[in-house]
Amino acid sequence: MLRGREDVLSLIKRWLEGVASGAGGALHLEGAVGVGKTALLEWAAQGAAERSLRVLRVNGHPEENATAWAGLSQLVAPHLAQLAEFDDRPRDTLMRAMRLGHAGQVDDVSVGMSVLFLLTFSDEPTIVVVDDLQWLDEATSRVLRFVCRRLQSTGVGVITAQHPGSAPVTNTPISIEPLTNEAMRVIARDRGAAAAVAEVLVEHAGGLPLVLSQMVDSLDPDQRRGHSPLPE
C-alpha cells in the first residue's frame, strides 16, 4: 500500500475494475517530480496484472522528444508479429509511422484509428501505462489524446503521468499533491528510521516520498536508528 494515497488508489482500483469488465477510459495523474506518480503507475500495472489484464507501456524520454512517433514505436514494436494479422490499412499506417519518422507523412486520425485497432485487436482487456508524458514526442501525444477520447466500452484503459504544465490527455487531470507530514513519518519509519530521525527527514523532504525514501536509504544503520549524527 502506498501511504497517504488511499483516495487515488481507490479511484485507480475502480478504473481497473471497469476496464476488466469491458468498459474503458483514461486517467491522468499530474504532480511535481518526486511526488510519487511513477509509484502510482506501478501500483496500477500490478493491479492490472493481478486481474489478468494486458499491460502495455510507453515512457517519455527527453532525448526522443523531437523524434516523431518515438513513443508510438514503444507501443507497436512488441507487437510487430501480430501486425501481420491486421487489415491492410491499420497495419500499413502503423508501419509507415514507425519507419518514416516525419509526422507530416501520416495523418493523426489514421494513426489514431490504427492504434485503437491495435489495442482492441486482442480479446484481453488492456491498459496502457504512460510515464513522463511531458517528454513524449508531439505526434504520439496528439494520437494518444485522440485515442483517449474514444475508449468507452472498448475494454481498454490508458493511465498517464506527467509534470505540471503540459497538455494532459484528459480534461480532468488528477492532481497528486505532496503527502502530509503524518504519511511521510510512516514512510520513514517503514524504511527503518527511528521516530526522531523521521521527524528531521520529514522537515526537509517537502512532502515528496521519493525524496524522503532516498534520504532514508542514504543513511547507515546507526544513523537510521538515531545512534549517529545525521549528515548535514
Side-chain angles (χ1 to χ4, degrees):
M1 177 65 71
L2 299 177
R3 302 291 188 179
R5 298 299 187 201
E6 289 78 13
D7 290 348
V8 179
L9 296 179
S10 178
L11 181 62
I12 293 174
K13 181 180 178 182
R14 292 196 301 273
W15 171 76
L16 285 171
E17 290 170 347
V19 174
S21 67
L27 291 180
H28 178 70
L29 313 180
E30 186 173 284
V33 177
V35 80
K37 303 182 299 299
T38 298
L40 289 165
L41 293 182
E42 290 305 315
W43 191 89
Q46 181 179 345
E50 291 170 353
R51 292 169 174 80
S52 299
L53 275 63
R54 182 174 60 153
V55 179
L56 308 179
R57 293 179 181 268
V58 177
N59 293 297
H61 297 285
E63 63 272 18
E64 295 183 354
N65 180 261
T67 303
W69 308 118
L72 177 69
S73 68
Q74 295 179 50
L75 194 61
V76 176
H79 306 284
L80 287 178
Q82 192 180 39
L83 292 185
E85 304 175 40
F86 284 19
D87 294 338
D88 290 349
R89 184 168 182 177
R91 182 191 66 233
D92 293 348
T93 297
L94 292 174
M95 293 300 294
R96 286 178 60 208
M98 289 180 61
R99 288 173 178 169
L100 296 178
H102 187 285
Q105 295 177 290
V106 285
D107 66 273
D108 291 351
V109 173
S110 295
V111 177
M113 294 304 296
S114 299
V115 170
L116 276 172
F117 189 89
L118 169 69
L119 297 178
T120 58
F121 186 76
S122 169
D123 291 334
E124 302 172 273
T126 298
I127 71 163
V128 181
V129 179
V130 184
D131 202 2
D132 287 323
L133 177 66
Q134 76 280 353
W135 288 329
L136 272 188
D137 62 277
E138 180 56 32
T140 299
S141 296
R142 290 195 308 268
V143 164
L144 196 58
R145 289 192 285 272
F146 176 93
V147 168
C148 286
R149 293 192 294 269
R150 291 163 174 82
L151 294 177
Q152 185 175 0
S153 302
T154 60
V156 174
V158 176
I159 183 167
T160 65
Q162 71 170 26
H163 304 167
S166 300
V169 296
T170 71
N171 293 326
T172 55
I174 302 164
S175 180
I176 308 302
E177 301 295 337
L179 290 173
T180 64
N181 284 350
E182 181 54 38
M184 293 284 279
R185 291 185 193 102
V186 174
I187 291 172
R189 292 196 295 267
D190 284 349
R191 300 184 82 86
V197 174
E199 286 294 334
V200 174
L201 299 180
V202 166
E203 285 183 17
H204 293 86
L208 303 177
L210 177 61
V211 173
L212 179 64
S213 297
Q214 291 172 341
M215 292 170 69
V216 176
D217 292 349
S218 71
L219 302 178
D220 64 39
D222 283 342
Q223 289 172 326
R224 290 186 196 181
R225 291 192 292 265
H227 297 162
S228 297
L230 295 179
E232 296 184 1

